[in-house]
Amino acid sequence: MAEFDFNAYWKEKLEIVNRALERFLPEDAEGPEILVRAMRYTLFAGGKRLRPLLAIIGYELSGGKDLEGELLPVACGIEMIHTFSLIHDDLPAMDNDDFRRGKPTNHRVFGEAIAILAGDALFSHAFHTIVQSHVPPDRLVMVLREITDAIGLDGMLGGQVADVTGEKKPPSEEIVEYIHSRKTGKFIRASLKVGGIAAGASTETVKLFHSVGEKIGLTFQIVDDILDEIGEKDRLGKSVGKDRESGKQTYVRVFGLEEAKKKARILADSAISEVEDFFGKEKGKPLISLIKFIVERNY
Ligand code: GRG
């Protein structure tokens, strides 16, 4: 049997997503030219597109057949929401970062007011894009419910509030777990789940994606904490050491570097076993390879 080439698979999907993003937010999109330029600046600055990839994998593992019509609007909307969150996270009132995706941050180039508006515009354009999906309306409502739950009060927003208010508080397992599951974990989990939901996956499959997605989300954020400590700025495309500097609640701060690495490995291995048991090693390869990338990544 031919070896599965994850890099080739990822590159192919990344190009599909980038082409679709170009269609959903072209250079000549209606609206103020400066706003479209600022939205596109960060959207096309070179993200890994992990969340759209999770949605595509969830969709294909669930037997989805109309990637273009059904899934890409959802996957692109997810990437727009993610990019919006990065722009706002980098603002002076939040993390005050100068670099993102290997380039000066949005507010450094366009100024704070336009960066805030570009984030807002990506957020609303995301939903305008998602509702263009051809999935049946009942499934689309479930997709929207999953996404809005993941980014809402007890999701990304709640996590970000805990992140901002947790700075300088004594390291706390409870706080860091809340931050990681809400700020990043739920949205990553939702990305995988909505792929399944859009394809009309069985309840068992959606349950599996829920469990695996949760482990992937936490692994992703633990590795993000580790990379802030020991990663390289050029590879990551963003500043390093900022979490420690600002006294953030991170896995490394709470558990130490070695323990954080161990926890990420255990979670990833457990997610991989679940996928193997459910789909088998062969069919599960794209998801298994992505989990391996997430735990081993250096960017
Ligand atoms: C949802 C209404 C609403 C508000 C959002 C600003 C904010 C509130 C939340 C910030 C959330 C955030 C930026 C979390 C960090 C997540 C993270 C580790 C991002 C890096 O993701 P990668 O590595 O980045 O996938 P690329 O650039 O590859 O896409």
Side-chain angles (χ1 to χ4, degrees):
M1 203 167 294
E3 263 300 295
F4 176 70
D5 184 345
F6 176 66
N7 284 331
Y9 172 86
W10 184 6
K11 185 167 179 280
E12 182 205 323
K13 303 299 185 200
L14 192 132
E15 281 165 9
I16 290 172
V17 170
N18 285 343
R19 277 199 298 274
L21 284 169
E22 271 293 345
R23 282 198 302 279
F24 291 122
L25 187 60
E27 251 176 276
D28 60 354
E30 297 254 342
E33 187 266 338
I34 180 82
L35 190 63
V36 176
R37 204 146 40 84
M39 291 161 83
R40 286 175 50 91
Y41 171 77
T42 307
L43 189 61
F44 293 106
K48 297 184 284 296
R49 311 299 192 218
L50 292 182
R51 292 153 192 81
L53 185 61
L54 278 164
I56 292 172
I57 291 175
Y59 183 75
E60 291 186 337
L61 278 175
S62 308
K65 294 279 180 283
D66 181 8
L67 195 67
E68 281 286 330
E70 288 193 335
L71 205 268
L72 283 181
V74 177
C76 289
I78 285 175
E79 185 62 25
M80 288 176 201
I81 294 170
H82 169 58
T83 305
F84 137 74
S85 78
L86 299 180
I87 295 175
H88 279 205
D89 192 47
D90 291 336
L91 289 167
M94 302 256 182
D95 280 358
N96 194 17
D97 267 309
D98 290 337
F99 292 98
R100 175 67 74 177
R101 293 180 162 171
K103 289 174 139 188
T105 41
N106 204 288
H107 64 273
R108 299 276 295 177
V109 177
F110 296 93
E112 249 185 282
I114 293 296
I116 291 169
L117 293 168
D120 291 342
L122 279 166
F123 193 52
S124 66
H125 199 61
F127 291 98
H128 180 71
T129 305
I130 293 171
V131 295
Q132 291 178 48
S133 164
H134 298 166
V135 299
D138 56 332
R139 283 187 208 160
L140 192 54
V141 169
M142 286 198 281
V143 164
L144 286 168
R145 185 187 289 174
E146 190 65 38
I147 292 175
T148 48
D149 178 57
I151 62 178
L153 297 183
D154 192 37
M156 192 190 282
L157 258 169
Q160 181 74 350
V161 170
D163 187 62
V164 169
T165 56
E167 284 181 14
K168 312 258 177 351
K169 280 190 189 163
S172 150
E173 196 172 329
E174 198 189 334
I175 297 177
V176 82
E177 263 159 19
Y178 180 84
I179 293 173
H180 285 23
S181 64
R182 303 309 195 282
K183 188 181 80 168
T184 332
K186 261 187 155 181
F187 193 46
I188 287 183
R189 184 180 80 190
S191 302
L192 180 64
K193 277 178 85 180
V194 296
I197 294 168
S202 65
T203 312
E204 291 69 41
T205 308
V206 177
K207 263 194 196 156
L208 183 271
F209 287 158
H210 183 97
S211 169
V212 169
E214 189 154 302
K215 289 173 185 166
I216 296 177
L218 186 50
T219 306
F220 175 88
Q221 187 57 55
I222 297 175
V223 173
D224 203 75
D225 290 353
I226 294 170
L227 290 175
D228 186 76
E229 286 285 332
I230 59 169
E232 294 163 34
K233 181 182 173 214
D234 287 349
R235 226 183 254 282
L236 287 167
K238 61 178 182 180
S239 316
V240 291
K242 288 218 57 182
D243 290 349
R244 191 166 9 94
E245 247 170 58
S246 49
K248 288 247 185 230
Q249 300 277 343
T250 70
Y251 249 70
V252 176
R253 185 158 168 237
V254 173
F255 297 102
L257 184 59
E258 288 317 309
E259 192 56 26
K261 282 184 184 169
K262 213 192 288 171
K263 278 183 189 287
R265 190 75 252 177
I266 290 169
L267 273 166
D269 286 346
S270 161
I272 290 169
S273 301
E274 272 197 77
V275 177
E276 283 178 356
D277 290 348
F278 195 87
F279 291 110
K281 279 194 175 147
E282 195 53 38
K283 187 175 175 194
K285 263 185 185 159
L287 188 50
I288 293 166
S289 305
L290 179 55
I291 299 169
K292 284 186 181 156
F293 166 78
I294 284 174
V295 70
E296 288 161 12
R297 73 197 172 100
N298 54 14
Y299 66 101

